[in-house]
Amino acid sequence: MSAGAGEAHGRCHCGRVRFVATFPSRFCAHCHCASCRRAHGAAFVTWVGFPSAQVHVTEGAEFLATHESSHETYRRFCRHCGTKLFFESARWPGETHVVLAAFDEPVDRAPSVHAFYAEHADWLPALRDPP
Ligand SMILES: [Zn+2]
Ligand SMILES: [Zn+2]
């Protein structure tokens, strides 16, 4: 269960879809874009980016559904419980962005960036400047 294991497991809310991601990740960022906000129903979404080859669905792949939220941008979610898990886009080829909140175990870095902060919800309290 430690980050030293070199990987972290995660799952959707209902547990039908389970995955493992192998370190090192590439980044961990809070995304404030309007698309993430609406798709997740949240002020912002915290993503951990991995090379796609390091992210494996270990159970419930048949429950994963895909929504093309913008051109060549795909959000994958559990079609039983609706939990969003993965984001892939032609804009970041070869990368899979995984929702940090879906992990059951620590990942190898803390969030360090506020992405698309210019689009942030105007009802979000002011945040400190990014590190
Ligand atoms: Zn589920
Ligand atoms: Zn976003």
Side-chain angles (χ1 to χ4, degrees):
M1 292 292 285
S2 80
E7 62 182 27
H9 293 79
R11 59 185 172 86
C12 65
H13 197 188
C14 77
R16 283 172 171 80
V17 180
R18 293 177 183 271
F19 64 88
V20 62
T22 303
F23 305 144
S25 63
R26 287 186 174 163
F27 66 84
C28 185
H30 303 301
C31 186
H32 295 265
C33 83
S35 187
C36 282
R37 179 164 65 250
R38 187 166 299 272
H40 291 250
F44 57 88
V45 180
T46 307
W47 297 103
V48 192
F50 292 91
S52 295
Q54 292 172 218
V55 180
H56 297 283
V57 174
T58 56
E59 278 183 53
E62 69 273 24
F63 287 100
L64 265 186
T66 300
H67 169 227
E68 187 172 8
S69 60
S70 55
H71 182 63
E72 293 189 320
T73 295
Y74 304 96
R75 295 175 187 270
R76 303 191 197 283
F77 60 97
C78 171
R79 62 183 166 82
H80 183 80
C81 70
T83 304
K84 301 279 200 312
L85 294 170
F86 308 121
F87 172 101
E88 292 171 344
S89 174
R91 188 168 172 182
W92 292 280
E95 267 187 12
T96 298
H97 303 173
V98 183
V99 174
L100 177 61
F103 281 95
D104 282 320
E105 299 171 305
V107 298
D108 60 339
R109 71 184 68 229
S112 62
V113 175
H114 289 282
F116 298 100
Y117 189 68
E119 295 182 36
H120 76 277
D122 58 11
W123 39 267
L124 185 70
L127 298 171
R128 290 186 301 120
D129 288 337

